[in-house]
Each structure stands twice: as structure tokens, then as C-alpha cells.
């Protein structure tokens, strides 16, 4: 391929490269299902009063993505995929909760997160918390994120690429990788979870 | 060869969308995501086809709808996704650079107006050597 890209190096990425593996606790865990069933639990109140409490979602499938609203590419792509999957599921989507959880609570207040998710579909949860709560939630999903600044002072964010699916019995299913096949993979994961 | 096919296809089917000046860079399928909130960025995508005989290096981009526009690339490493700026984008003769969701994109910052589906705006790609290419982008859902 003769296409060449020249990339601006930043101190941020060096730091991120050093710290992210420690935060994630070994990103290779995302490559397969957990050895033991994991049942993540969190309760977050959305701006406006709606609550997503995983312990109250037994019998429903919950789809979770960790992103941020200033993300112009991956996050809107993922939420657009959520909408495509929801439409494809038809009435069965009533048994699915789609949730966007911001990894950038410093900029994404609860109302911002709610408004962002609602742009895609009014039923989607848009959730924000505080950094400590967020870290606890991400740990359960074996997800991670990093918010910092680059050499120009611009905010930069790294976050887990995967989408997470919680089955009807509350167990965490293998993560759906964030690549170009994600929309089909996500549909298959949610469809399969609904059938079990 | 895929690039040759793309060029031929462009010549036949996409002539109205082309922005062909010197240098011979064709911009095809240019679109941008809607963004209602001007405080947040959007992303624009296109295929850039080098129809000339020299490598084209895009060193800067400016868009009428944004106070700042940069080419960025989404990269995924070890399960983590992040963006990084692409300072210069080189497209070899006959080659195609695809700016698409999940990959390279034009990051539109400091939006001057909300981006509403159906709108169009112009971006100018400034290339090494002093030339430039204007391309029209259409705002639409992916």
C-alpha cells in the first residue's frame, strides 16, 4: 500500500501506552469470555430521573458502550449501530436496554450524556457518573478508559473499543469487538442473548 | 486492481461529486455526520483518489462549516480505541485514501452552525507544493 500517513507524536500516547495496560489489568482479557461468570452490577440515574439498575434488568438484555460525547467517529458509529440493531430486532428490542456510559464525566454532565444518547434514539440511556463510580463499573466489565491532555493542551481520550452485552440472567457475555464487522456481531450477540 | 477500478467507476458514475483541479485528486462520496450541538465535533468522510502521476501530500484542510478541521485516525490497540492526528496524508499515484467510520476522518471542530442532514458545505484540501482541491460534503446519517 503506497498510502503513507505521518502521525504527530504526543507525550500523551507515550504515557497512555505505559499506563493503560495497568489500568485494564491485561487487555488480552477482552479477547475471550471470562473464565468465571461475571455479573456486573451498577445503578445509574439518568438525567430526568430514569434509572438503569442492572439488578432490576433480569429477563432483559443490556447492551453497554463506554464512550464520550466529544468523540466524533467511533462513538456515533457505535450508537448508530445500536439503532440499526434495535430496528432489526423489531418488537423484540423491547427486551433490550441500550446504554451509553460516558468515560469523560468531567465534560459530559448527566444532561449532556442523556441528550447525546437521545439524539440517536429516545430509549437509549445516556449515563454519566463520577470518575470513581465509573472506574468501579468499568472494572466489572473489564473495560478501561483514560482522559488526559496532549502537548497542545487538548483533551484526549482513550477507551475500550468493545461493546458489552449482559445476558438476561445478568451474566456478562464475551465483548463485541469494535471493528467493521461489529454491527453484525452485535446483532448476533443480542439476538443470541434474547433466545436464551 | 482496486484503485484502477475505483477511478474508472468514479469517472463514469460520480462526475457531479468530483472536485477535480490541479493537483489531480478526486474526492468522491464525501459526507459528514449530523451534529446539532456546535460545541461538539463532527466527522467527515470521503474517498480521495490520486488520478495524477505524482504523489499528493495533503498537509492541511479547511472546511467552511468548521473553525478548525484536521485529519484524524481512529486506532485500536490492545482493545483500546483512541484518535490521533494525521499531520500529512500522502496518496500515491493511482492510489485511494479512504476516510471512513472507524478509520481516518476529517474532524470538524468549532462548528459555525449545526450540521443538519441535507446541508452541504465545502472543504479545501491544501496539498504540498501549493495546490488545493475543493470538495463538497453532504450532511447525512451514516
Amino acid at each position: 500500500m503506497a498510502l503513507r500517513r505521518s502521525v504527530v507524536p504526543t507525550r500523551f500516547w507515550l504515557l497512555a501506552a505505559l499506563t493503560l495496560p495497568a489500568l485494564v489489568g491485561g487487555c488480552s482479557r477482552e479477547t475471550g469470555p471470562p473464565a468465571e461468570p461475571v455479573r456486573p452490577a451498577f445503578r445509574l440515574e439518568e438525567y430526568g430521573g430514569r434509572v438503569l439498575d442492572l439488578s432490576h434488568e433480569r429477563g432483559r438484555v443490556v447492551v453497554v458502550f463506554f464512550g464520550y460525547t466529544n468523540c466524533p467517529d467511533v462513538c456515533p458509529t457505535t450508537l448508530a449501530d445500536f439503532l440499526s440493531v434495535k430496528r432489526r430486532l423489531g418488537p423484540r428490542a423491547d427486551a433490550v436496554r441500550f446504554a451509553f456510559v460516558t468515560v469523560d464525566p468531567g465534560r459530559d454532565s448527566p444532561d449532556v450524556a442523556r441528550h447525546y444518547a437521545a439524539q440517536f434514539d429516545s430509549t437509549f440511556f445516556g449515563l454519566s457518573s463520577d470518575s470513581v463510580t465509573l472506574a468501579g463499573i468499568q472494572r466489572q466489565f473489564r473495560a478501561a478508559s483514560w482522559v488526559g491532555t496532549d502537548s497542545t493542551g487538548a483533551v484526549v481520550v482513550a477507551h475500550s473499543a468493545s461493546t458489552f452485552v449482559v445476558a438476561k440472567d445478568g451474566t456478562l457475555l464475551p465483548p463485541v469487538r469494535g471493528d467493521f464487522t461489529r454491527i453484525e456481531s452485535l446483532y448476533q450477540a443480542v439476538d443470541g442473548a434474547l433466545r436464551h | 486492481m482496486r484503485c484502477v477500478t475505483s477511478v474508472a467507476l468514479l469517472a463514469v458514475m460520480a462526475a457531479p461529486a468530483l472536485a477535480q483541479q490541479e493537483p489531480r485528486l478526486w474526492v468522491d462520496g464525501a459526507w459528514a455526520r449530523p451534529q446539532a450541538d456546535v460545541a461538539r465535533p463532527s466527522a467527515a468522510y470521503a474517498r480521495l483518489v490520486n488520478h495524477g502521476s505524482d504523489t499528493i501530500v495533503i498537509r492541511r484542510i479547511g472546511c467552511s462549516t468548521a473553525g478548525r478541521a484536521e485529519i484524524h485516525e481512529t486506532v485500536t490497540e490492545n482493545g483500546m480505541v483512541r484518535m490521533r492526528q494525521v499531520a500529512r496524508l500522502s496518496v500515491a499515484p493511482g492510489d485511494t485514501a479512504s476516510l471512513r467510520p472507524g478509520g481516518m476522518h476529517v474532524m470538524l471542530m468549532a462548528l459555525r452552525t449545526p450540521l443538519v442532514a441535507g446541508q452541504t458545505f465545502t472543504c479545501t484540501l491544501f496539498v504540498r507544493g501549493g495546490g488545493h482541491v475543493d470538495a463538497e460534503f453532504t450532511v447525512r446519517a451514516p
Side-chain angles (χ1 to χ4, degrees):
Chain A
M1 182 71 177
L3 183 65
R4 297 191 309 278
R5 300 161 207 162
S6 175
V7 174
V8 176
T10 65
R11 285 179 296 175
F12 165 75
W13 300 124
L14 177 60
L15 181 61
L18 293 172
T19 56
L20 278 174
L23 287 170
V24 176
C27 293
S28 60
R29 288 179 184 173
E30 285 203 352
T31 59
E36 298 292 330
V38 173
R39 289 185 171 80
F42 70 78
R43 180 188 186 281
L44 287 177
E45 182 175 337
E46 188 181 56
Y47 180 80
R50 197 168 55 148
V51 172
L52 181 61
D53 184 340
L54 290 192
S55 67
H56 292 169
E57 296 296 337
R58 297 293 187 267
R60 295 192 185 93
V61 174
V62 182
V63 182
V64 179
F65 179 71
F66 297 97
Y68 63 109
T69 70
N70 277 278
C71 160
D73 185 43
V74 168
C75 305
T77 298
T78 302
L79 288 173
D81 288 352
F82 281 12
L83 184 56
S84 296
V85 168
K86 183 189 175 197
R87 286 174 173 162
R88 190 170 163 189
L89 288 169
R92 292 194 299 149
D94 292 344
V96 183
R97 300 281 194 238
F98 293 92
F100 164 84
V101 180
T102 182
V103 301
D104 188 13
R107 291 188 295 174
D108 293 344
S109 60
D111 60 324
V112 168
R114 163 65 186 147
H115 179 73
Y116 181 77
Q119 287 183 82
F120 296 87
D121 189 280
S122 61
T123 69
F124 291 178
F125 282 87
L127 302 166
S128 181
S129 59
D130 58 81
S131 57
V132 174
T133 302
L134 172 67
I137 293 171
Q138 288 192 295
R139 206 159 32 239
Q140 297 179 69
F141 285 83
R142 295 181 166 84
S145 61
W146 202 95
V147 180
T149 55
D150 66 13
S151 58
T152 70
V155 176
V156 285
V157 180
H159 58 98
S160 293
S162 297
T163 299
F164 301 91
V165 180
V166 180
K168 289 192 286 187
D169 66 356
T171 58
L172 182 62
L173 299 177
V176 179
R177 288 180 160 276
D179 57 24
F180 293 117
T181 64
R182 171 183 48 210
I183 189 165
E184 183 61 26
S185 302
L186 181 59
Y187 175 79
Q188 296 295 338
V190 175
D191 178 61
L194 284 169
R195 294 175 189 276
H196 289 92
Chain B
M1 182 179 169
R2 192 181 67 175
C3 292
V4 172
T5 303
S6 298
V7 170
L9 188 65
L10 289 171
V12 172
M13 300 183 63
L18 300 181
Q20 184 182 5
Q21 301 177 6
E22 290 297 336
R24 297 175 66 81
L25 184 71
W26 290 16
V27 181
D28 177 54
W31 66 283
R33 292 182 186 281
Q35 177 56 275
D37 185 352
V38 297
R40 300 185 193 291
S42 185
Y45 308 93
R47 287 184 298 277
L48 313 178
V49 185
N50 185 350
H51 191 55
S53 55
D54 299 315
T55 294
I56 294 173
V57 180
I58 300 165
R59 58 177 179 79
R60 187 165 66 85
I61 187 165
C63 298
S64 59
T65 194
R68 206 167 122 220
E70 296 172 352
I71 297 177
H72 283 210
E73 182 178 31
T74 297
V75 292
T76 303
E77 293 171 346
N78 295 324
M80 301 292 290
V81 63
R82 60 182 172 85
M83 286 192 305
R84 62 186 178 193
Q85 185 181 354
V86 178
R88 290 175 298 280
L89 176 60
S90 299
V91 189
D95 215 337
T96 300
S98 292
L99 278 60
R100 59 185 180 182
M104 284 191 293
H105 53 275
V106 179
M107 186 155 166
L108 304 170
M109 295 167 278
L111 294 177
R112 296 190 171 99
T113 61
L115 299 183
V116 179
Q119 286 180 339
T120 60
F121 61 89
T122 301
C123 288
T124 302
L125 285 65
F126 297 93
V127 306
R128 189 174 64 190
H132 69 273
V133 175
D134 292 330
E136 185 175 274
F137 285 68
T138 301
V139 180
R140 66 170 174 82

